Amino acid sequence: MDRLPSILPALALCLLPLAHADTRQPQPCDAALLDSLATQLGQRGWTPPDGRGDGALVAAACKPWPDDPSLSVVTLAYRDGEDGTPAGERNLNWLVAKVDTQSGQLRERHDDYLGEDAALEIDANSLWLDTARYHLAPGVRAFGVVVRSVARGASCPDADANNLLTLVVPDGPRLRPVFATYLYAWTTVKGTSCVTDSDFQSERADLTLGLGPKQAHGYADLVVTAQVRAGWQEPVLRKVSTTVRYDGTRYPFDKFSMFWTREPQP
């Protein structure tokens, strides 16, 4: 494949790490901006989310767009005004958008749903915007949204994942998702969780995303790197990377990818 112009090789393999949700800087939304967005979305009575996100606006994050100070990127999870479904069972509206910072007018947007279940529950701090330098092609800068679940999940799982990153790119008036992966995952290496005499062992991986030196279908390759540990505070055991190539529509990749794992021990 042809190489991208000189600006992209300069970014090759430049990792763009993401901190865990509890160490990330707050990304609050201005009340006037939220009022404008609520009106455009046919909603009303929004207040900035706090606590467990029990209001109509369950979660929100806003951040200036690095390439243009007159624009901001926003992500919202909200329910319709008459929806009284309890947390953990909601089907929340999910907006990812670029907006005019002053007026709050929507420019480019992606609308979807966040369907809560045993593995996904949203609170006021569940959404976070990643505006690292994802220059995928000349004139195309992606940005990411991380969704962190606060659901308790299964009591004794063999594996789990959280912090789902979705990258979106501009596509006319829309924002189009092109890549998604969980940024944190763990899996059983030996034994069985919750069984004290099984000699249980697990490994966890924290994933980072970078740009590769080549391109396919006009978009830079993505390099996903896992730093693998035996526990929360343990040193890194190994680093494992894999390259994902754009297929003309998206970067095909399993959200819960296990490329970093070893064969389980008996």
Side-chain angles (χ1 to χ4, degrees):
M1 295 289 180
D2 294 335
R3 290 182 178 271
L4 290 170
S6 58
I7 186 173
L8 291 175
L11 296 171
L13 297 178
C14 174
L15 292 181
L16 306 171
L18 287 166
H20 288 296
D22 57 0
T23 62
R24 292 173 181 154
Q25 293 296 316
Q27 297 177 338
C29 296
D30 180 79
L33 175 59
L34 292 178
D35 284 343
S36 175
L37 291 172
T39 299
Q40 294 174 74
L41 296 169
Q43 307 294 313
R44 63 180 181 178
W46 279 1
T47 58
D50 56 18
R52 292 194 56 81
D54 294 327
L57 181 60
V58 177
C62 298
K63 190 176 182 181
W65 181 237
D67 290 349
D68 186 345
S70 70
L71 299 177
S72 295
V73 287
V74 304
T75 182
L76 311 173
Y78 62 97
R79 54 184 175 180
D80 295 326
E82 303 302 319
D83 183 3
T85 307
E89 302 176 15
R90 301 168 297 193
N91 194 33
L92 299 172
N93 301 292
W94 183 32
L95 174 72
V96 181
K98 279 186 183 179
V99 302
D100 181 275
T101 302
Q102 293 298 319
S103 68
Q105 187 65 38
L106 288 162
R107 296 292 187 86
E108 302 159 358
R109 63 189 286 180
H110 170 67
D111 294 271
D112 205 341
Y113 295 95
L114 295 171
E116 293 182 320
D117 54 24
L120 177 64
E121 184 178 334
I122 304 301
D123 75 358
N125 300 309
S126 286
L127 299 179
W128 194 82
L129 291 157
D130 172 23
T131 57
R133 296 183 297 274
Y134 297 116
H135 294 282
L136 301 183
V140 178
R141 178 171 180 165
F143 70 92
V145 179
V146 179
V147 178
R148 180 180 65 90
S149 174
V150 296
R152 294 184 62 182
S155 58
C156 294
D158 294 324
D160 202 0
N162 208 337
N163 292 354
L164 179 61
L165 168 69
T166 301
L167 286 186
V168 296
V169 299
D171 186 4
R174 299 187 304 117
L175 292 171
R176 178 167 55 89
V178 292
F179 175 81
T181 188
Y182 287 100
L183 296 173
Y184 164 76
W186 72 267
T187 189
T188 299
V189 173
K190 184 179 181 181
T192 305
S193 65
C194 302
V195 178
T196 56
D197 60 352
S198 69
D199 194 22
F200 174 73
Q201 296 178 20
S202 66
E203 287 185 344
R204 56 165 289 182
D206 295 294
L207 273 58
T208 55
L209 193 61
L211 302 182
K214 297 182 179 180
Q215 56 107 353
H217 300 281
Y219 275 39
D221 293 348
L222 294 179
V223 179
V224 186
T225 299
Q227 297 189 72
V228 185
R229 293 177 169 85
W232 288 99
Q233 302 297 328
E234 297 299 322
V236 175
L237 297 174
R238 63 187 182 276
K239 292 183 180 181
V240 186
S241 295
T242 188
T243 298
V244 191
R245 314 211 77 194
Y246 189 66
D247 67 4
T249 302
R250 63 187 182 94
Y251 291 90
F253 193 71
D254 186 354
K255 293 179 183 178
F256 187 36
S257 177
M258 306 301 289
F259 71 92
W260 50 273
T261 58
R262 299 179 298 179
E263 289 295 324
Q265 300 177 26

